[in-house]
Amino acid sequence: MLKKLLSLPIKHRLLILAGVAPLALLLAFAPFVFEVLEQPFYLRVASRILVFALAASSLNLVLGFGGMVSLGHAAFVGIGSYVVAILAWHASNEVPLSLGPFVIAGTTDGLVAWPVAILAAMLSACIIGAISLRTSGLYFIMITLAFAQMIYYYAVSLQQYGGDDGMRMRGRSILPGLDLSNRTTFYYFALASLALCLIFLFCLARSRFGLVISGIRQNETRMRALGIEPYPYQLTCFTISGAIAGFAGVLMVNLDSFVSPADLSMARSSELIAMILIGGVGSLWGPLLGAGFYILGQLGLGTLTTYWPLFFGPALIVIVLFARRGLVGLFVPGRS
Amino acid sequence: MVAALEIVHLHKMFGALKATDDLNLDVVEGELHAVIGPNGAGKTTLISQLSGQAAATSGEIRFFGENIARLSMPQRVRRGIVRSFQITSLCREFSALTNVALAVQARAGHSFRFLRNAQNDSRFTGPAMNALDQVGLAHRADVEAGHLAHGEQRQLELAIALAAEPKLLLLDEPMAGMGADESHRVVDLLRELKRRYTIVLVEHDMDAVFALADRISVLVYGHCIATGTPEEIRRDPAVRNAYLGEDAADAGSP
């Protein structure tokens, strides 16, 4: 990446530095900046951007990188959130949770609840992917949406856990040596999680697996002609994405101390897609830029008018039409 | 002489259209077998059925004795049957080198490796570079496939097929759309390759076909009307009548 950067003309190098350096500094020192400005609310906004960037990155892996347009990705995020919240609910109400023949105790321990949540999201992605990936194109989009809607209505029907109104979580998950209820700690934890995820995705993209996935998006017939059956690779990619989405859900419920069916609705899925489109489809930094733009834009317009979507929608259309590579395209020079 | 490929009573119907009509053909191991015929004779359809991209309606395709007619394309590739495409089929965002390296990677086993950088893994880029060198494209290795000139894309298509280390190479008009220089280079390359691989070649360039082929089969309306050495085919009255004509037959003579 550095080699690629150095091979660029000096003008582009300066442009990238001018864009990236302040952003990196802001991300690294956000807690101090907002402390000095006495604006703790904005630290929460910054954390929210990071968590949404993580969720959007997971979608970007299948949609941007793998070319699988999933319209129900919020479901996997929501499953991650619900599992953590439900386990915490049973812990604080001291009611055991019975799952058919198994009866388990609730827990607020992150070391237990988080892996369970991530596994649940991963397993759902694996099952839904196994069925959806038998189709492609428009059918794939519709089937992922249908599954997500099923999970949405299932969440609505969970009366014990607040049904339509959603459920509160009394405190954040407990991790050894980390106090997540401290907002600065939480921010850095989210930042580290996102950084790790992006490093993982960066490596994945260049690996043997990544080349195959990208090849399938570019030309599926070519991959078959090389002796590569696309299905198992696509399913693995979808499952990995589900796991990352579940982790984003774990962080989201800890940030908000609240989860409701809205968190796994189709509206949330489309928000994630919008973030990717704004940031740059298939690019590593796209989801972060897109999440930042989306959440700050929503916040900014929201203070001006209740009818913010009326202005936000057209802005999105303009970006998609005129900056096809998204915000990333403004910093990184395009192909000639 | 071992029959690498035996095609027995092969039929392919598109609705009422017989694209392949009771085709019988065998290809001997190590030979370069050219398939010629007028437009619409079912040459590309035949290549598609051999490679597994299209399913035959009925009949058998035996590869070293095994009936492969019902196997998927990836399964056939793993047995060593590799095709090139008449209409270039590449990963346009990848460099020429990565396109070829992917073929080497696919041959090396499964690709469930998630972290190590494969783009500068010499186990893949080494043989890939060799294949590019063979087709004369080594100097363009780092160029995105989508940015290559049309003729270069055709060369790349060939390099990918070679890198897959085929036992049976199915070439669908490898010289289509190439300039004269590039065509000459490919003819030279095929002459080099023909002892090492068993090759089925579909090509419209009759000079190339008659210069290269050990045997030629002539397809008309999906049916094979003649098979023989270039000399036999040139003299065959049915072939002259159906396809070659007097002039074309003369053009092919030395």
Side-chain angles (χ1 to χ4, degrees):
Chain A
M1 196 165 165
L2 195 65
K3 213 171 94 188
K4 202 171 158 193
L5 191 68
L6 290 175
S7 70
L8 293 171
I10 191 119
K11 204 176 111 193
H12 285 143
R13 263 190 272 172
L14 287 175
L15 195 68
I16 291 173
L17 273 183
V20 170
L23 205 68
L25 283 175
L26 186 67
L27 282 176
F29 296 108
F32 303 107
V33 174
F34 295 133
E35 187 95 10
V36 170
L37 297 175
E38 295 185 343
Q39 294 283 2
F41 170 72
Y42 282 102
L43 186 57
R44 200 186 161 78
V45 173
S47 299
R48 195 171 170 77
I49 291 175
L50 295 177
V51 173
F52 267 87
L54 190 63
S57 292
S58 79
L59 177 59
N60 196 30
L61 173 61
V62 286
L63 188 150
F65 194 63
M68 297 168 262
V69 182
S70 160
L71 202 49
H73 226 63
F76 306 128
V77 182
I79 287 171
S81 296
Y82 260 101
V83 169
V84 170
I86 287 172
L87 287 173
W89 185 89
H90 283 277
S92 57
N93 289 309
E94 292 177 359
V95 182
L97 170 60
S98 57
L99 299 163
F102 305 103
V103 178
I104 56 171
T107 178
T108 53
D109 187 347
L111 290 183
V112 179
W114 291 18
V116 173
I118 293 167
L119 269 175
M122 197 169 154
L123 197 68
S124 322
C126 187
I127 293 168
I128 292 175
I131 298 166
S132 311
L133 285 166
R134 300 256 168 222
T135 66
S136 61
L138 205 54
Y139 298 101
F140 179 78
I141 298 176
M142 294 316 291
I143 288 186
T144 52
L145 174 62
F147 274 116
Q149 289 299 93
M150 276 167 58
I151 294 171
Y152 170 79
Y153 283 110
Y154 181 68
V156 169
S157 75
L158 292 173
Q159 287 308 324
Q160 189 186 3
Y161 306 119
D164 220 356
D165 298 328
M167 66 193 297
R168 296 223 130 265
M169 202 162 78
R170 273 188 211 163
R172 287 179 176 168
S173 300
I174 293 160
L175 287 182
L178 276 178
D179 178 17
L180 288 183
S181 56
N182 177 310
R183 63 172 88 87
T184 304
T185 309
F186 186 91
Y187 173 84
Y188 280 118
F189 187 82
L191 184 62
S193 305
L194 179 66
L196 272 179
C197 168
L198 292 184
I199 290 171
F200 171 69
L201 292 176
F202 176 73
C203 293
L204 191 75
R206 304 188 307 171
S207 72
R208 287 162 77 170
F209 181 79
L211 290 182
V212 167
I213 286 291
S214 176
I216 293 169
R217 168 176 55 79
Q218 293 175 55
N219 191 339
E220 202 175 313
T221 307
R222 167 44 73 194
M223 288 299 121
R224 286 182 200 278
L226 294 182
I228 293 169
E229 194 67 75
Y231 183 78
Y233 292 98
Q234 290 181 312
L235 182 57
T236 306
C237 184
F238 202 80
T239 307
I240 292 173
S241 167
I244 299 174
F247 182 49
V250 166
L251 293 184
M252 213 172 279
V253 71
N254 272 290
L255 176 67
D256 294 339
S257 302
F258 178 73
V259 59
S260 78
D263 287 318
L264 32 72
S265 65
M266 183 189 161
R268 176 58 57 76
S269 291
S270 347
E271 276 184 337
L272 294 178
I273 293 181
M275 287 173 188
I276 295 177
L277 287 175
I278 294 170
V281 178
S283 80
L284 194 63
W285 299 104
L288 176 59
L289 291 177
F293 185 91
Y294 193 95
I295 289 170
L296 292 177
Q298 194 179 15
L299 198 69
L301 283 172
T303 57
L304 297 177
T305 163
T306 342
Y307 306 109
W308 63 270
L310 204 59
F311 301 95
F312 203 72
L316 184 62
I317 293 173
V318 167
I319 289 177
V320 171
L321 281 181
F322 296 104
R324 304 207 66 166
R325 294 174 58 235
L327 293 174
V328 167
L330 300 179
F331 296 111
V332 184
R335 306 196 189 95
S336 52
Chain B
M1 295 282 252
V2 186
L5 191 68
E6 290 168 277
I7 300 166
V8 187
H9 296 304
L10 195 69
H11 289 266
K12 174 73 184 175
M13 308 285 291
F14 291 112
L17 178 76
K18 293 176 180 170
T20 304
D21 183 13
D22 195 25
L23 184 68
N24 293 284
L25 197 78
D26 61 282
V27 176
V28 176
E29 188 175 9
E31 80 169 335
L32 192 156
H33 196 118
V35 176
I36 62 173
N39 284 325
K43 303 183 295 289
T44 294
T45 307
L46 174 62
I47 296 281
S48 291
Q49 289 173 87
L50 295 180
S51 67
Q53 205 184 354
T57 307
S58 67
E60 281 194 11
I61 302 168
R62 297 195 199 116
F63 184 59
F64 291 103
E66 181 194 12
N67 184 11
I68 56 160
R70 298 280 165 263
L71 297 182
S72 74
M73 192 164 177
Q75 286 172 321
R76 293 189 209 192
V77 175
R78 284 196 287 275
R79 280 166 176 72
I81 303 176
V82 175
R83 76 169 292 179
S84 78
F85 291 89
Q86 180 187 4
I87 297 160
T88 311
S89 184
L90 302 165
C91 293
R92 300 178 63 85
E93 294 170 25
F94 285 153
S95 69
L97 183 64
T98 303
N99 265 285
V100 187
L102 254 175
V104 184
Q105 178 187 320
R107 200 189 68 223
H110 69 77
S111 294
F112 288 103
R113 303 287 156 104
F114 300 95
L115 294 176
R116 238 180 86 183
N117 185 352
Q119 276 182 317
N120 51 24
D121 189 327
S122 57
R123 285 175 303 161
F124 309 134
T125 53
M129 210 57 202
N130 279 342
L132 280 176
D133 199 33
Q134 280 192 56
V135 302
L137 209 56
H139 64 293
R140 302 281 275 166
D142 291 330
V143 180
E144 271 177 42
H147 286 174
L148 292 172
H150 181 75
E152 292 174 325
Q153 292 186 348
R154 303 295 308 154
Q155 287 168 277
L156 178 56
E157 182 84 35
L158 200 54
I160 293 171
L162 293 182
E165 285 197 353
K167 282 187 199 147
L168 172 65
L169 192 52
L170 307 169
L171 300 176
D172 195 1
E173 296 199 31
M175 285 163 250
M178 277 190 184
D181 283 355
E182 291 155 335
S183 290
H184 278 304
R185 178 184 267 287
V186 171
V187 171
D188 288 343
L189 174 64
L190 289 181
R191 196 170 284 131
E192 246 176 75
L193 296 178
K194 70 185 257 194
R195 292 291 155 244
R196 282 193 277 152
Y197 304 100
T198 309
I199 302 176
V200 173
L201 171 71
V202 168
E203 183 53 59
H204 272 301
D205 181 339
M206 286 305 129
D207 289 338
V209 165
F210 279 90
L212 287 169
D214 298 307
R215 286 197 302 158
I216 299 175
S217 287
V218 184
L219 249 56
V220 175
Y221 296 123
H223 191 76
C224 179
I225 62 166
T227 295
T229 62
E231 204 46 47
E232 288 163 3
I233 291 297
R234 194 177 285 136
R235 280 201 232 104
D236 192 306
V239 175
R240 295 178 91 115
N241 194 24
Y243 176 47
L244 284 179
E246 301 292 331
D247 294 347
D250 291 339
S253 44

